Amino acid sequence: MPLYIHALACAFGLGSWVAINGLWVELPLIVNVLPEGWDLPSYLTVIIQLANLGPLLVTLMHKLCPSRQREKLVIYAVLVIGVSACLLLTAFWKRTTVILGELHSTAFFILTFFLALVDCTSSVTFMPFMMQLPAKYITTYFIGEGLSGFIPGLVALGQGVGISKCVNVSQSSTNMSQPGEEIYVVETQYLPPNFSPEIFFVFLAVMTTISLGAFAALNKVPRTFELSTENLVQEADVVATACAGLDNPGMNESKTSKDDEESEPAKPVLVKSKYSLSQKAFIYFMVVWVNGATNGLLPSVQTYSCMPYGNLAYHLSAALASVANPIACIIAMFLPKRSLVFLGLLCLMGTGFGGYNMAMAAMSPCPLLQDSPVGDVIIVVSWILFTGLLSYVKVMVGVILRDESHSALVWCGAAAQTGSMVGSLVMFPLVNVYHLFQSGDICSTVCPL
């Protein structure tokens, strides 16, 4: 029975962020089809931020009318919506409409919003449900949550997206003095992937369905496996809960006998903060900056920093960076380091790699080492280290604030959302209104030596 529940907890965690992670690693193929082209990631970052309406509504529901049964219905609803949106993507992701005289991927944006709504809402619904089970199953759930980013990344790599070649294509001359004369131009031709985006979206629907089935089975678990939230909080792994951004109002209490517990209500113990005001300001600054960089600033220009090196480089950077996130979370669970100096150095290193990525995006379509395999390797590794280092910092800062107090973690969530929102809103006009970043074709773009 314990192994069975471990398997269900892991499968349940698969549905947490699989849809958005899946869309992100599929972007190298989608950007070549949809009319937004290289601007598509900047649209997605804003849509994902708008989807935080889901957690807000769930939080209000918990405050106004808390009910464990209602929480289960919300989880069923969001998973069903996730499965439906993935299936609808298979039929409508290419559909476009004309808005203000320009073609836009309206259907894709709407369905992406619902997928983001599902994944954002999972952060405030899945973990409270898992807290009804013994603490040993929490770690297994987080393994499943990590796999929700790892598996789509591997599948996308197996899809074989990004293999392209430059081909001379003949065209009729438009020169009036030499009408009909054939001229040759160089075009980029992408070889077909091993399977289509439609099949990939079906795969995402299957993973979400597995999560839905696992949740239904977990509801059938014998009640002897349940523990109260108070007991779970004392036993749960600190890093694991912070990795999901879950607040923990529980406090350490001195051990008392059963008779004392029954006769006298528990009294909270006030713990003095370990950090000074300046240290707390630094911690919250890291929260704002790390979330702003990883959720808003850099994802908006990933196409511009990677596509000049070829679609394969973009594909590898998107897939492997998505894999780096859950791996960093798992490393933080087993090798936590709370030193602010150490975390500051990691934040600085991650920012350095992010700065390189941003610089290459600003230099598009002619970044450094564009025609060298070394340039391809550097940009892919830079994206992996940028994501991995800042993901580790993000987790450990959450752990630190989680141990401070309930209100500290609430402010941590607010700072994270503020950073993500500001990063997305800053980059959207720069990319889509002022067009500060330029796209190009790896075969036809001529760069100065």
Side-chain angles (χ1 to χ4, degrees):
M1 180 65 72
L3 290 178
Y4 166 72
I5 300 176
H6 276 298
L8 290 179
C10 183
F12 179 46
L14 287 177
S16 56
W17 283 94
V18 65
I20 292 303
N21 286 329
L23 282 183
W24 212 257
V25 298
E26 193 70 0
L27 278 184
L29 181 60
I30 295 175
V31 294
N32 294 319
V33 179
L34 296 183
E36 289 77 14
W38 291 21
D39 294 342
L40 189 61
S42 63
Y43 283 93
L44 295 189
T45 55
V46 175
I47 290 173
I48 293 172
Q49 295 308 311
L50 293 176
N52 281 297
L53 175 65
L56 177 61
L57 294 177
V58 171
T59 302
L60 290 176
M61 182 192 73
H62 284 317
K63 293 292 184 181
L64 298 177
C65 47
S67 169
R68 184 171 294 183
Q69 187 62 32
R70 190 175 290 109
E71 291 174 358
K72 293 180 180 179
L73 293 177
V74 171
I75 296 176
Y76 275 120
V78 297
L79 287 174
V80 169
I81 291 173
V83 174
S84 302
C86 288
L87 293 177
L88 289 173
L89 273 175
T90 62
F92 298 105
W93 75 276
K94 292 182 181 179
R95 300 290 181 89
T96 58
T97 56
V98 178
I99 300 177
L100 299 177
E102 295 184 356
L103 280 178
H104 285 285
S105 311
T106 310
F108 181 78
F109 290 155
I110 293 174
L111 293 173
T112 297
F113 171 78
F114 281 105
L115 289 177
L117 191 69
V118 171
D119 290 359
C120 292
T121 306
S122 71
S123 299
V124 294
T125 55
F126 285 19
M127 271 304 300
F129 171 78
M130 287 302 301
M131 289 178 69
Q132 301 174 35
L133 298 176
K136 59 184 178 181
Y137 299 114
I138 300 292
T139 301
T140 310
Y141 166 81
F142 279 108
I143 292 175
E145 189 175 77
L147 291 175
S148 71
F150 185 75
I151 294 177
L154 291 182
V155 173
L157 289 175
Q159 193 175 10
V161 178
I163 303 177
S164 62
K165 59 182 180 180
C166 300
V167 179
N168 285 324
V169 179
S170 62
Q171 293 181 353
S172 296
S173 175
T174 57
N175 192 330
M176 296 299 295
S177 62
Q178 296 176 328
E181 181 181 354
E182 287 192 350
I183 60 175
Y184 290 89
V185 295
V186 180
E187 289 185 355
T188 304
Q189 290 186 357
Y190 296 101
L191 300 181
N194 295 327
F195 52 87
S196 66
E198 289 81 3
I199 295 178
F200 186 82
F201 294 144
V202 170
F203 164 74
L204 296 182
V206 169
M207 287 191 66
T208 310
T209 303
I210 292 173
S211 178
L212 176 60
F215 175 66
L218 283 173
N219 279 297
K220 306 294 183 181
V221 170
R223 309 313 286 179
T224 54
F225 281 89
E226 275 197 35
L227 285 181
S228 68
T229 301
E230 290 77 14
N231 290 334
L232 178 64
V233 166
Q234 295 175 6
E235 296 180 7
D237 182 78
V238 174
V239 181
T241 52
C243 187
L246 180 72
D247 58 290
N248 176 18
M251 298 181 181
N252 293 327
E253 297 178 4
S254 59
K255 295 182 180 179
T256 56
S257 65
K258 184 176 180 181
D259 293 338
D260 291 338
E261 290 178 352
E262 292 178 354
S263 61
E264 184 179 353
K267 297 180 180 179
V269 179
L270 297 178
V271 181
K272 185 178 180 180
S273 175
K274 302 176 183 178
Y275 301 98
S276 65
L277 185 61
S278 60
Q279 288 176 320
K280 285 186 177 180
F282 176 66
I283 291 172
Y284 282 111
F285 170 77
M286 285 197 294
V287 173
V288 173
W289 172 248
V290 167
N291 283 274
T294 57
N295 299 334
L297 295 175
L298 271 300
S300 299
V301 296
Q302 188 169 13
T303 42
Y304 294 95
S305 70
C306 298
M307 283 290 276
Y309 294 96
N311 212 37
L312 180 59
Y314 179 28
H315 177 60
L316 290 174
S317 66
L320 296 180
S322 178
V323 170
N325 192 317
I327 290 178
C329 183
I330 293 173
I331 292 174
M333 290 171 61
F334 295 101
L335 296 174
K337 297 290 184 182
R338 303 191 183 204
S339 167
L340 293 186
V341 175
F342 176 74
L343 293 179
L345 289 175
L346 289 186
C347 186
L348 185 61
M349 291 173 60
T351 300
F353 288 112
Y356 178 83
N357 299 336
M358 183 66 76
M360 296 307 101
M363 296 173 67
S364 175
C366 299
L368 298 176
L369 302 173
Q370 181 184 21
D371 298 322
S372 170
V374 176
D376 299 358
V377 173
I378 291 177
I379 194 66
V380 172
V381 172
S382 180
W383 270 99
I384 294 172
L385 293 177
F386 161 74
T387 305
L389 291 173
L390 293 192
S391 294
Y392 183 92
V393 173
K394 188 188 305 184
V395 173
M396 292 312 305
V397 168
V399 172
I400 291 173
L401 293 176
R402 176 187 181 274
D403 288 349
E404 281 292 293
S405 66
H406 172 78
S407 61
L409 199 58
V410 172
W411 282 108
C412 176
Q417 289 304 116
T418 300
S420 301
M421 181 180 64
V422 170
S424 301
L425 295 180
V426 166
M427 293 307 299
F428 187 82
L430 297 181
V431 173
N432 300 284
V433 179
Y434 298 106
H435 303 289
L436 297 184
F437 300 90
Q438 302 299 319
S439 61
D441 191 296
I442 190 173
C443 293
S444 60
T445 300
V446 178
C447 296
L449 297 177

